[in-house]
Structures are given as structure tokens and as C-alpha cells.
Amino acid sequence: MPQLPEVIDNREASRFELAVDGQTAVLAYKRTPASLVLVHTEVPPSLRGRHLGEALAQAALEAGHAEGLQVVAVCPFVKEYMRKHPHREAATPGSDKG
């Protein structure tokens, strides 16, 4: 699989972004002083199947961990990613297991 571009944390837009082939996949969030709430993942149809959603979820979990935030997954895609990759979740303090 080719190397993906870096995931960018666009704090002004409250979303993680991954630009590929002129299009942008996003993971929208709400950030508070204590938590990072992962709200919605959207990957353009032409980019699906390239693991961009997984890259966004991983970057969000890593960012939350690095900042010592409680990560709360509201987005069904991120919840499923966390279920499939429990080692990622275990590395994140206070992860929501709901």
C-alpha cells in the first residue's frame, strides 16, 4: 500500500484531515479542555477502500493520548475501529467503551 500523506489537525475547522488526489477525507471532532469527542468520519466515495478512515481514527486517538484527553467515540466508524484495534484504545486514557 502506498504511503499516505500526513493527517492534519485543522483546529479552526475542528477536524482531522487527510488530502489525497485533490479530495479530503475528514474526522470531525469537538474538543474540550478535558476531552476529544470524535463525531463523524467522512471519506469521499472515490477514495474509499484506501484505509483513509483508519488513518484518521488512528491519528485522532494518538492526538488525544498525546494531549492527555479523554477520547469519546460518538462516530460509529471510530467505535468500530477502536473495537478492532483495542491496543490503540488501551493507549488512550479514559477511552469511551460505549
Side-chain angles (χ1 to χ4, degrees), residues 9 11 16 31 33-36 57-71 88-95:
D9 182 359
R11 291 187 181 220
F16 291 95
R31 187 184 300 266
S35 66
L36 182 63
Q58 178 180 338
L61 292 172
E62 289 174 359
H65 175 67
E67 295 177 40
L69 299 174
Q70 177 181 6
V71 175
R88 299 273 185 220
E89 182 178 2
T92 306
S95 295

Side-chain angles (χ1 to χ4, degrees), residues 63-87:
H65 175 67
E67 295 177 40
L69 299 174
Q70 177 181 6
V71 175
V72 180
V74 175
C75 172
F77 178 84
V78 177
K79 282 185 177 184
E80 183 65 11
Y81 177 85
M82 292 170 72
R83 187 188 68 75
K84 289 181 177 179
H85 301 82
H87 62 284

Side-chain angles (χ1 to χ4, degrees), residues 8-88:
I8 303 300
D9 182 359
N10 181 342
R11 291 187 181 220
E12 287 184 12
S14 296
R15 65 189 200 175
F16 291 95
E17 301 175 342
L18 184 54
V20 177
D21 297 338
Q23 299 182 73
T24 304
V26 300
L27 171 50
Y29 63 77
K30 292 181 184 176
R31 187 184 300 266
T32 72
S35 66
L36 182 63
V37 182
L38 306 176
V39 179
H40 177 69
T41 305
E42 189 164 335
V43 177
S46 64
L47 298 179
R48 292 183 184 156
R50 295 169 69 175
H51 304 285
L52 303 184
E54 289 92 341
L56 288 164
Q58 178 180 338
L61 292 172
E62 289 174 359
H65 175 67
E67 295 177 40
L69 299 174
Q70 177 181 6
V71 175
V72 180
V74 175
C75 172
F77 178 84
V78 177
K79 282 185 177 184
E80 183 65 11
Y81 177 85
M82 292 170 72
R83 187 188 68 75
K84 289 181 177 179
H85 301 82
H87 62 284
R88 299 273 185 220

